[in-house]
Amino acid sequence: MAASLEEDDDILKNDYYALLNVGKDASVEEINNAFRHLSKIYHPDKHVDPIKKRKAEEIFNNLRKAHDVLRDKHKRTVYDMYGEKGLETGDMEVIARTKTPQEIIAEYERIQKEKEERRLQQRTNPRGMFSVMWRRLVSDKGWAELDFHFGSALGLGVTGFRQLTQRCYVRCGARADVTQFGYRPSATFMVAYQFDRNIQGRLTYNLARPSSISTNIVYSSEVSNVSSSVQLGVKSSFFSLSCTRTFLEHDAKVRGALRIGTLGSMVECGIEKKVTDFSHIGGTLTVSIPQGVHLKLKMMRGQQTFFFPIYLSDGVSPSAILYGAVVPLASYFVVKKLIINPILKQQKQKELEKQKEEYAEKMAQKKSEAEKAVELMRETFERSIEIEEKKLGLVIIKALYGKLQNSDDGEVLDHQCIDVTIPIQALVKDSKLILPETTSKSGLPGFYDPFIGEEKKLYIRYKFRGRLHQVFLSDTEPIRVPQKKHQMPDEQHQSSPPGASTTARSS
């Protein structure tokens, strides 16, 4: 899959896992071992020549930064979620180091969500609204926050957080808002307990008008969210169950919900789809007693949300349910294929060309860094070749990275690739080459991205025990070399006993 281009240039930032050549599930010991191995090549003290020493210092500083982040479980948690951008936001000081990774993620997401909402508000719906927030860590287990906003509405709120145990915390808050509808005071008190990595229970007391008390059990993972709730209130009491499934590859969410209460019952299903970076569309079909069947279409642009309610029937009607479910979906796929997809494809191509021009200088810098790394690897490369040839071990003959093309005679062309033979051989240890799964192989030492935003592959031709092998890899695919299935057809024929099948196994 081709890498996507975001508004900020995350694609040009370092991939710490690739830089150390470790997998995302690597232990601290594996990370330390990888750092020690690369330090033998890039540590400034390993080089006497002043020019090489300066080049080594630049690369070693990047390696040390990656090592410091990945061996710290708190920084690593944030990095895994948000990359280098997450470590540069300046919000790390508000995250208590005694919290669990789940609490760190929740707290960080809350801060980033507030920032993103303010940024989108200014882009899509600028108004005379100003807000000020002040937060202070009162201990390593708690914080207090005061926020004030004014403009179209006036509000003042105070919130406190306290970690009671490793799994339990409390949050309480009070606020007062003055709007065109009058003065609205409210207060909440919540106790939460983390049963395991994905399951959390909450007990909430709400002092707003009308008051209520509720208990909530939530299961949450990267792609699924299931929530069950029971509320006892002055005006209404109910039981509800909802499930949301996120399809990351399609930027879509599907949601189903059930609610049974003193004021009626309801079954609901809906879907939401991201169209552009700032726009979403969605639809929800609701069947309820006594309201009947109605469809609600939604379009969101930044902080602007437009609802289009369509009442289909006063009672529960099967034909209305079928009409409300089928017609919107069919309309969406027709519009998407004929209008949305061509527009988005054209916009993406224009954006890609524009950003390539903007990134030209940074890409040149990445290329220069890779060339420096390759120069420093040369001694390691020559030493590895000598050792491996003596024992008929793993010798890399050719390694290319980029947009691979074959000539008429089947040979791989290199005019749209970069030569990474030296970096690949330098990663060989004891006649083995292990490349874990990464976001992109352009983050490996001595690599850079020759075609930013486009699909790339890695080709390796190598010799092992005197026989030629080759393998093609996608940009994210892990690999362990050597493997018998990589043996080239002619070599398989020569090594097969009489009568044996010589059918080539392609990778």
Side-chain angles (χ1 to χ4, degrees), residues 5-39:
L5 289 172
E6 300 297 335
E7 181 179 5
D8 45 17
D9 54 352
D10 283 351
I11 196 167
L12 293 176
K13 293 186 178 294
N14 293 317
D15 181 344
Y16 290 166
Y17 291 99
L19 199 59
L20 296 176
N21 193 35
V22 296
K24 290 194 174 183
D25 57 350
S27 64
V28 175
E29 183 180 0
E30 290 172 331
I31 291 168
N32 289 337
N33 289 338
F35 178 68
R36 281 194 292 268
H37 173 73
L38 293 172
S39 296

Short mmCIF file of all heavy atoms in Angstrom, two decimals, residues 5-39:
data_model
loop_
_atom_site.label_atom_id
_atom_site.label_comp_id
_atom_site.label_asym_id
_atom_site.label_seq_id
_atom_site.Cartn_x
_atom_site.Cartn_y
_atom_site.Cartn_z
N LEU A 5 -0.18 10.83 2.44
CA LEU A 5 0.46 12.10 2.74
C LEU A 5 -0.47 12.92 3.60
O LEU A 5 -1.55 13.27 3.20
CB LEU A 5 0.77 12.86 1.44
CG LEU A 5 1.88 12.26 0.59
CD1 LEU A 5 1.93 12.97 -0.74
CD2 LEU A 5 3.21 12.33 1.29
N GLU A 6 -0.04 13.23 4.82
CA GLU A 6 -0.86 14.01 5.73
C GLU A 6 -0.49 15.47 5.64
O GLU A 6 0.47 15.86 4.99
CB GLU A 6 -0.66 13.49 7.17
CG GLU A 6 -1.03 12.04 7.36
CD GLU A 6 -2.49 11.75 7.11
OE1 GLU A 6 -3.29 12.69 7.24
OE2 GLU A 6 -2.82 10.62 6.74
N GLU A 7 -1.27 16.31 6.35
CA GLU A 7 -1.03 17.75 6.29
C GLU A 7 0.34 18.07 6.84
O GLU A 7 1.08 18.88 6.31
CB GLU A 7 -2.11 18.47 7.09
CG GLU A 7 -1.95 19.96 7.06
CD GLU A 7 -3.02 20.65 7.84
OE1 GLU A 7 -3.84 19.98 8.47
OE2 GLU A 7 -3.03 21.88 7.82
N ASP A 8 0.72 17.46 7.95
CA ASP A 8 2.08 17.65 8.43
C ASP A 8 2.95 16.56 7.82
O ASP A 8 2.47 15.55 7.34
CB ASP A 8 2.14 17.58 9.96
CG ASP A 8 1.33 16.43 10.52
OD1 ASP A 8 1.01 15.52 9.73
OD2 ASP A 8 0.99 16.42 11.71
N ASP A 9 4.27 16.76 7.83
CA ASP A 9 5.14 15.87 7.06
C ASP A 9 5.63 14.71 7.91
O ASP A 9 6.80 14.42 7.98
CB ASP A 9 6.33 16.64 6.49
CG ASP A 9 7.09 17.40 7.56
OD1 ASP A 9 6.63 17.45 8.71
OD2 ASP A 9 8.14 17.94 7.23
N ASP A 10 4.67 13.98 8.53
CA ASP A 10 5.04 12.81 9.32
C ASP A 10 5.76 11.77 8.47
O ASP A 10 6.57 11.00 8.97
CB ASP A 10 3.78 12.17 9.94
CG ASP A 10 3.30 12.95 11.14
OD1 ASP A 10 4.02 13.87 11.57
OD2 ASP A 10 2.19 12.66 11.63
N ILE A 11 5.44 11.74 7.17
CA ILE A 11 6.01 10.71 6.30
C ILE A 11 7.53 10.87 6.18
O ILE A 11 8.23 9.95 5.84
CB ILE A 11 5.32 10.77 4.93
CG1 ILE A 11 5.59 9.50 4.14
CG2 ILE A 11 5.76 11.99 4.13
CD1 ILE A 11 4.72 9.35 2.94
N LEU A 12 8.02 12.08 6.46
CA LEU A 12 9.46 12.32 6.38
C LEU A 12 10.15 12.20 7.73
O LEU A 12 11.35 12.43 7.83
CB LEU A 12 9.71 13.72 5.79
CG LEU A 12 9.30 13.87 4.31
CD1 LEU A 12 9.49 15.31 3.87
CD2 LEU A 12 10.06 12.93 3.42
N LYS A 13 9.39 11.89 8.77
CA LYS A 13 10.00 11.74 10.08
C LYS A 13 10.57 10.33 10.23
O LYS A 13 10.28 9.42 9.46
CB LYS A 13 8.96 12.02 11.18
CG LYS A 13 8.53 13.49 11.20
CD LYS A 13 7.63 13.77 12.37
CE LYS A 13 7.23 15.25 12.41
NZ LYS A 13 8.36 16.13 12.68
N ASN A 14 11.40 10.15 11.25
CA ASN A 14 12.06 8.86 11.46
C ASN A 14 11.09 7.82 11.99
O ASN A 14 10.23 8.12 12.82
CB ASN A 14 13.22 9.02 12.45
CG ASN A 14 14.34 9.85 11.88
OD1 ASN A 14 14.72 9.68 10.73
ND2 ASN A 14 14.88 10.76 12.67
N ASP A 15 11.23 6.61 11.52
CA ASP A 15 10.52 5.45 12.08
C ASP A 15 11.49 4.79 13.06
O ASP A 15 12.46 4.16 12.65
CB ASP A 15 10.12 4.50 10.96
CG ASP A 15 9.36 3.28 11.49
OD1 ASP A 15 9.40 3.02 12.70
OD2 ASP A 15 8.72 2.59 10.67
N TYR A 16 11.25 4.95 14.35
CA TYR A 16 12.19 4.48 15.36
C TYR A 16 12.40 2.97 15.31
O TYR A 16 13.50 2.47 15.54
CB TYR A 16 11.72 4.89 16.76
CG TYR A 16 11.81 6.39 17.01
CD1 TYR A 16 11.15 6.97 18.09
CD2 TYR A 16 12.54 7.21 16.18
CE1 TYR A 16 11.24 8.34 18.34
CE2 TYR A 16 12.64 8.56 16.41
CZ TYR A 16 11.97 9.12 17.49
OH TYR A 16 12.05 10.46 17.72
N TYR A 17 11.33 2.22 15.02
CA TYR A 17 11.46 0.76 14.95
C TYR A 17 12.33 0.35 13.76
O TYR A 17 13.20 -0.52 13.87
CB TYR A 17 10.08 0.11 14.84
CG TYR A 17 9.26 0.23 16.10
CD1 TYR A 17 8.27 1.21 16.22
CD2 TYR A 17 9.47 -0.62 17.18
CE1 TYR A 17 7.52 1.33 17.37
CE2 TYR A 17 8.72 -0.51 18.34
CZ TYR A 17 7.74 0.47 18.43
OH TYR A 17 7.00 0.60 19.58
N ALA A 18 12.08 0.98 12.59
CA ALA A 18 12.89 0.66 11.41
C ALA A 18 14.33 1.12 11.61
O ALA A 18 15.27 0.44 11.19
CB ALA A 18 12.29 1.34 10.18
N LEU A 19 14.51 2.26 12.26
CA LEU A 19 15.85 2.79 12.47
C LEU A 19 16.71 1.82 13.27
O LEU A 19 17.90 1.65 13.01
CB LEU A 19 15.75 4.14 13.20
CG LEU A 19 16.97 5.07 13.13
CD1 LEU A 19 17.30 5.42 11.70
CD2 LEU A 19 16.70 6.33 13.94
N LEU A 20 16.10 1.15 14.25
CA LEU A 20 16.82 0.15 15.06
C LEU A 20 16.67 -1.26 14.50
O LEU A 20 17.25 -2.20 15.05
CB LEU A 20 16.32 0.19 16.50
CG LEU A 20 16.56 1.50 17.28
CD1 LEU A 20 15.93 1.42 18.67
CD2 LEU A 20 18.05 1.79 17.40
N ASN A 21 15.85 -1.42 13.44
CA ASN A 21 15.59 -2.72 12.82
C ASN A 21 15.04 -3.72 13.84
O ASN A 21 15.54 -4.84 13.98
CB ASN A 21 16.85 -3.28 12.16
CG ASN A 21 16.54 -4.45 11.25
OD1 ASN A 21 15.49 -4.48 10.61
ND2 ASN A 21 17.44 -5.42 11.18
N VAL A 22 13.99 -3.30 14.56
CA VAL A 22 13.29 -4.17 15.50
C VAL A 22 11.80 -4.11 15.20
O VAL A 22 11.30 -3.15 14.61
CB VAL A 22 13.55 -3.77 16.97
CG1 VAL A 22 15.01 -3.92 17.32
CG2 VAL A 22 13.08 -2.34 17.23
N GLY A 23 11.08 -5.16 15.61
CA GLY A 23 9.64 -5.18 15.42
C GLY A 23 8.92 -4.34 16.47
O GLY A 23 9.49 -3.98 17.50
N LYS A 24 7.64 -4.06 16.21
CA LYS A 24 6.87 -3.22 17.14
C LYS A 24 6.57 -3.94 18.44
O LYS A 24 6.18 -3.29 19.41
CB LYS A 24 5.57 -2.76 16.47
CG LYS A 24 5.81 -1.77 15.35
CD LYS A 24 4.54 -1.08 14.92
CE LYS A 24 4.85 0.03 13.91
NZ LYS A 24 3.64 0.77 13.50
N ASP A 25 6.73 -5.25 18.47
CA ASP A 25 6.53 -5.99 19.72
C ASP A 25 7.87 -6.32 20.39
O ASP A 25 7.92 -7.17 21.29
CB ASP A 25 5.76 -7.28 19.44
CG ASP A 25 6.47 -8.17 18.40
OD1 ASP A 25 7.45 -7.70 17.78
OD2 ASP A 25 6.04 -9.33 18.23
N ALA A 26 8.93 -5.66 19.99
CA ALA A 26 10.27 -5.95 20.53
C ALA A 26 10.32 -5.65 22.02
O ALA A 26 9.76 -4.66 22.49
CB ALA A 26 11.32 -5.14 19.79
N SER A 27 11.03 -6.49 22.76
CA SER A 27 11.23 -6.28 24.19
C SER A 27 12.33 -5.23 24.41
O SER A 27 13.06 -4.87 23.48
CB SER A 27 11.63 -7.59 24.87
OG SER A 27 12.90 -8.03 24.38
N VAL A 28 12.43 -4.75 25.65
CA VAL A 28 13.46 -3.77 25.97
C VAL A 28 14.85 -4.37 25.73
O VAL A 28 15.76 -3.68 25.25
CB VAL A 28 13.32 -3.30 27.43
CG1 VAL A 28 14.47 -2.37 27.81
CG2 VAL A 28 11.99 -2.58 27.62
N GLU A 29 15.01 -5.66 26.03
CA GLU A 29 16.30 -6.31 25.80
C GLU A 29 16.66 -6.34 24.32
O GLU A 29 17.80 -6.07 23.95
CB GLU A 29 16.26 -7.73 26.36
CG GLU A 29 17.59 -8.47 26.24
CD GLU A 29 17.54 -9.89 26.79
OE1 GLU A 29 16.47 -10.29 27.27
OE2 GLU A 29 18.57 -10.59 26.72
N GLU A 30 15.67 -6.65 23.46
CA GLU A 30 15.92 -6.66 22.01
C GLU A 30 16.26 -5.27 21.50
O GLU A 30 17.13 -5.10 20.63
CB GLU A 30 14.69 -7.20 21.29
CG GLU A 30 14.46 -8.69 21.52
CD GLU A 30 13.14 -9.17 20.95
OE1 GLU A 30 12.19 -8.36 20.88
OE2 GLU A 30 13.05 -10.34 20.56
N ILE A 31 15.61 -4.25 22.05
CA ILE A 31 15.89 -2.87 21.65
C ILE A 31 17.29 -2.47 22.07
O ILE A 31 18.04 -1.85 21.31
CB ILE A 31 14.83 -1.92 22.27
CG1 ILE A 31 13.47 -2.18 21.61
CG2 ILE A 31 15.24 -0.46 22.12
CD1 ILE A 31 12.32 -1.52 22.31
N ASN A 32 17.69 -2.86 23.28
CA ASN A 32 19.04 -2.55 23.76
C ASN A 32 20.10 -3.25 22.91
O ASN A 32 21.14 -2.66 22.58
CB ASN A 32 19.19 -2.96 25.23
CG ASN A 32 18.40 -2.06 26.16
OD1 ASN A 32 18.10 -0.92 25.83
ND2 ASN A 32 18.06 -2.57 27.32
N ASN A 33 19.84 -4.50 22.56
CA ASN A 33 20.80 -5.26 21.75
C ASN A 33 20.96 -4.63 20.36
O ASN A 33 22.07 -4.53 19.82
CB ASN A 33 20.36 -6.71 21.62
CG ASN A 33 20.52 -7.48 22.91
OD1 ASN A 33 21.31 -7.10 23.78
ND2 ASN A 33 19.76 -8.56 23.06
N ALA A 34 19.81 -4.21 19.76
CA ALA A 34 19.87 -3.58 18.44
C ALA A 34 20.65 -2.27 18.51
O ALA A 34 21.45 -1.96 17.60
CB ALA A 34 18.45 -3.32 17.92
N PHE A 35 20.44 -1.50 19.58
CA PHE A 35 21.16 -0.22 19.72
C PHE A 35 22.66 -0.45 19.88
O PHE A 35 23.48 0.26 19.29
CB PHE A 35 20.59 0.54 20.92
CG PHE A 35 21.29 1.84 21.19
CD1 PHE A 35 21.18 2.90 20.31
CD2 PHE A 35 22.07 1.99 22.33
CE1 PHE A 35 21.83 4.11 20.56
CE2 PHE A 35 22.72 3.18 22.59
CZ PHE A 35 22.60 4.24 21.70
N ARG A 36 23.03 -1.46 20.66
CA ARG A 36 24.45 -1.77 20.86
C ARG A 36 25.09 -2.20 19.54
O ARG A 36 26.23 -1.81 19.23
CB ARG A 36 24.62 -2.85 21.92
CG ARG A 36 24.48 -2.33 23.35
CD ARG A 36 24.99 -3.36 24.35
NE ARG A 36 24.13 -4.54 24.39
CZ ARG A 36 23.12 -4.69 25.22
NH1 ARG A 36 22.83 -3.72 26.09
NH2 ARG A 36 22.39 -5.79 25.20
N HIS A 37 24.37 -3.00 18.74
CA HIS A 37 24.92 -3.47 17.47
C HIS A 37 25.17 -2.30 16.52
O HIS A 37 26.23 -2.20 15.89
CB HIS A 37 23.95 -4.46 16.82
CG HIS A 37 24.34 -4.89 15.44
ND1 HIS A 37 25.38 -5.75 15.19
CD2 HIS A 37 23.82 -4.55 14.22
CE1 HIS A 37 25.51 -5.93 13.89
NE2 HIS A 37 24.57 -5.21 13.27
N LEU A 38 24.18 -1.39 16.41
CA LEU A 38 24.33 -0.24 15.51
C LEU A 38 25.35 0.76 16.04
O LEU A 38 25.98 1.48 15.25
CB LEU A 38 22.98 0.43 15.30
CG LEU A 38 21.94 -0.41 14.53
CD1 LEU A 38 20.58 0.26 14.56
CD2 LEU A 38 22.39 -0.63 13.10
N SER A 39 25.53 0.80 17.36
CA SER A 39 26.52 1.72 17.93
C SER A 39 27.94 1.34 17.51
O SER A 39 28.82 2.20 17.43
CB SER A 39 26.42 1.71 19.46
OG SER A 39 25.17 2.22 19.88
#
